[in-house]
């Protein structure tokens, strides 16, 4: 598969990436991490909590299936929503090279799925913003706090 730049087996991960600095260097070396679905449960203690804090946890692919190239392409082209304990979450909806129409289409496709995943759905969404890594936040949706929210 052409898209895969490096493969690290689990024994190498255990032996070569023990130190915090080694794990951090590994995390910053790549944009996307894929792992066979059979070893995903073994990875959290091996890669450390910073992978999860930064939203770079490995994406599950099934290596046992024949169409691995298709699975890698799907994982690469997908977006992921990670709900943490805090009040904010982010979802990548486009790349800077996309046209305005593509960005709008992606937002319209992703938004209903994201809302379904948020506990309480629209009642718990106060704002939606569009942002690049270097830009200020552009508000797309803003709701006023209700009396029940203010009292609690």
């Amino acid at each position: 598969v052409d898209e895969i730049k490096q493969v690290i087996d689990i024994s190498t991960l255990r032996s070569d990436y023990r130190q915090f600095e080694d794990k951090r260097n590994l995390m910053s070396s790549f944009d996307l991490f894929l792992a066979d679905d059979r070893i995903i449960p073994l990875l959290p203690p091996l890669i450390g909590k910073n992978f999860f804090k930064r939203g770079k946890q490995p994406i599950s692919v099934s290596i046992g299936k024949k169409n691995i190239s298709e699975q890698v392409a799907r994982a690469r082209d997908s977006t992921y929503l990670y709900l943490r304990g805090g009040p904010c979450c982010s979802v990548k909806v486009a790349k800077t090279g996309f046209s305005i129409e593509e960005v709008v289409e992606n937002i319209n496709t992703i938004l209903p799925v994201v809302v379904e995943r948020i506990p309480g759905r629209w009642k718990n969404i106060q704002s939606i913003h569009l942002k690049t890594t270097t830009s200020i936040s552009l508000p797309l949706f803003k709701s006023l706090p209700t009396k029940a929210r203010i009292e609690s």
Side-chain angles (χ1 to χ4, degrees), residues 3 18 35 81 84 92:
E3 292 93 2
R18 288 184 158 196
L81 170 68
R84 295 179 179 87
K92 293 177 184 174

Side-chain angles (χ1 to χ4, degrees), residues 32-95:
L32 182 67
F33 294 89
L34 305 174
D36 185 20
D37 55 0
R38 296 171 290 186
I39 66 161
I40 287 282
L42 304 173
L43 292 179
L46 295 176
I47 60 176
K49 62 184 175 185
N50 277 336
F51 271 81
F52 297 90
K53 282 183 180 178
R54 306 259 187 221
K56 284 197 168 186
Q57 54 259 48
I59 298 163
S60 176
V61 291
S62 182
I63 293 180
K65 293 185 178 176
K66 291 182 181 178
N67 56 355
I68 186 140
S69 181
E70 186 177 302
Q71 287 186 54
V72 169
R74 182 177 173 158
R76 178 199 63 211
D77 297 340
S78 294
T79 191
Y80 301 92
L81 170 68
Y82 301 112
L83 294 176
R84 295 179 179 87
C88 298
C89 64
S90 65
V91 179
K92 293 177 184 174
V93 295
K95 296 182 180 179

Side-chain angles (χ1 to χ4, degrees), residues 123-138:
K123 289 187 282 185
N124 284 336
I125 299 174
Q126 269 193 319
S127 64
I128 298 173
H129 296 262
L130 187 63
K131 183 180 178 346
T132 67
T133 54
T134 58
S135 74
I136 60 169
S137 241
L138 174 68

Side-chain angles (χ1 to χ4, degrees), residues 136-148:
I136 60 169
S137 241
L138 174 68
L140 301 178
F141 169 81
K142 196 104 167 143
S143 73
L144 295 173
T146 62
K147 185 177 180 183

